[in-house]
Amino acid sequence: MTRITVDLDPPVHSILNLWIARNAATIGPPHVKLPEVIAAMVVTTARYQDVTDRVCSQIRDQRAAAKERGERGERGERGERGRG
């Protein structure tokens, strides 16, 4: 098993916890753990092309929105703000 760390901003963490709460009864006991959910989501995303397409689209949209806000990218560079 490989161990990774995932940094989630508060809104995304809240969405994930809400998903877990809504689906805990369907999954059944024992208590659903965050790493278990993330792993299942990764496998599903990789398995189904339509899910992969939606994930890629969301990433592109998030990057475009961050660039418009001038947020720093992974390497620390600032996005260019629109001119005019």
Side-chain angles (χ1 to χ4, degrees), residues 21-51:
R22 287 181 177 163
N23 291 285
T26 302
I27 297 167
H31 177 72
V32 183
K33 293 183 171 82
L34 190 60
E36 183 179 24
V37 171
I38 292 172
M41 290 179 171
V42 168
V43 169
T44 302
T45 300
R47 186 175 293 154
Y48 299 104
Q49 188 60 45
D50 59 330
V51 178

Side-chain angles (χ1 to χ4, degrees), residues 2-78:
T2 300
R3 184 171 299 274
I4 63 169
T5 300
V6 178
D7 295 325
L8 302 175
D9 61 14
V12 172
H13 189 254
S14 294
I15 290 169
L16 192 53
N17 280 325
L18 182 60
W19 186 94
I20 290 171
R22 287 181 177 163
N23 291 285
T26 302
I27 297 167
H31 177 72
V32 183
K33 293 183 171 82
L34 190 60
E36 183 179 24
V37 171
I38 292 172
M41 290 179 171
V42 168
V43 169
T44 302
T45 300
R47 186 175 293 154
Y48 299 104
Q49 188 60 45
D50 59 330
V51 178
T52 297
D53 292 345
R54 288 182 185 201
V55 169
C56 291
S57 177
Q58 172 128 0
I59 292 169
R60 286 190 301 269
D61 292 347
Q62 289 171 346
R63 287 180 175 179
K67 186 175 182 180
E68 276 191 25
R69 291 189 305 265
E71 293 180 1
R72 294 184 186 274
E74 280 189 30
R75 290 175 284 181
E77 72 272 5
R78 292 201 54 90

